[in-house]
Amino acid sequence: MKTLYIFTFLILLFSCKENKNAPEKIIEEPIEQQIIKPEFQTIIDSANVTGSILIYDSLKNTYYSNDFDWAKKGNLPASTFKIANSIIALETGVVKNDSTFFKWDGKRRAMRAWERDFIFKDAFHFSCVPCYQEIAIKIGVKRMNNYLAKLDYGNMKVDSTNIDLFWLEGESRINQFQQIDFLKRLYQSELPISERTETIMKRIMIIEDNTNYKLSGKTGWSIRNGNNNGWFVGYVENQGKTYFFATNVEPKQQFDMDMFPMIRKDVTFKAFEEMKIIK
């Protein structure tokens, strides 16, 4: 019997050593792919603009674009920053909810559409720059920089001289990949923000919700050194799939600038149709 105990002990001892030295299982992350879409370039050229359409298929972990170099180039975020600005406003309590009231002071504004009172969600949709300048000033430089670092949002340059303009002019930059990364983290509940803030943001970002798809996002337009740069960023939910996108374009010479606000969305929708994301 004693011999049996010794034999059993030796088996267990060697078995433990063997398991201890066994190589650990390596869980491989799916490889991110980038696929050139010449059809996107045709869409861009037909619109008489230059730039890049970047679409990310979250299920396939694959990016599609006509120009990945352009997609890596940083630009001013312009009004696409209203997504991050809104999050920070809600997290700091500068804005209480999507119905927070902004009273027009009666002064003339750059756009007639802004010469009115707003509630927060409408200020977002109408891209009311004066409303968001008021918000940024109330947030302040220190809190703005702290939250931008927490959110890992692009490369913003914020100080006391530009707190109300840094997303529209100056040296702040974000590229299309960074825009999509930020949107992915928001959508997947990976940002260090409250559930309440996330819920409000996802609600006010909805542009279109129909039987075929739900589209959420924000446009942006900056003018730097006389050069116009336009954004359309967001995500599309369709039949259980989610696609994230960031379009960045600039007009060619002799472009009808009255068309620029529409072109950003138009080329993006044509890319959606090309990929059969929407019909």
Side-chain angles (χ1 to χ4, degrees), residues 255-274:
F255 183 87
D256 180 1
M257 289 307 296
D258 289 339
M259 298 294 294
F260 199 56
M262 293 170 279
I263 283 296
R264 301 165 294 176
K265 286 186 176 182
D266 187 48
V267 296
T268 306
F269 268 84
K270 285 179 178 174
F272 292 159
E273 291 167 1
E274 169 62 35

Side-chain angles (χ1 to χ4, degrees), residues 193-208:
I193 60 176
S194 69
E195 185 179 342
R196 178 180 179 273
T197 293
E198 182 184 312
T199 300
I200 292 171
M201 283 310 304
K202 287 179 177 177
R203 185 166 64 233
I204 69 173
M205 284 173 63
I206 297 171
I207 297 170
E208 194 174 349

Side-chain angles (χ1 to χ4, degrees), residues 15 17 61 70 142 224 229 235 259 265:
S15 175
K17 281 185 178 179
N61 194 26
W70 186 294
K142 186 177 179 181
R224 184 171 182 266
N229 185 273
Y235 52 86
M259 298 294 294
K265 286 186 176 182

Side-chain angles (χ1 to χ4, degrees), residues 5 22 26 50 77 89 97 112 137 142 168-169 203 222 226 233 237-239 248-249:
Y5 286 149
I26 298 172
T50 57
N97 52 51
R112 290 287 299 274
I137 290 167
K142 186 177 179 181
L168 290 169
E169 59 183 53
R203 185 166 64 233
S222 66
V233 306
E237 299 166 87
N238 184 7
Q239 296 182 342
N248 184 265
V249 294

Side-chain angles (χ1 to χ4, degrees), residues 68-75 173-176 229 231 248 250:
F68 285 107
D69 289 335
W70 186 294
K72 293 171 187 172
K73 184 176 69 170
N75 290 287
R173 297 289 182 270
I174 191 168
N175 66 41
Q176 289 165 260
N229 185 273
W231 286 101
N248 184 265
E250 295 180 353

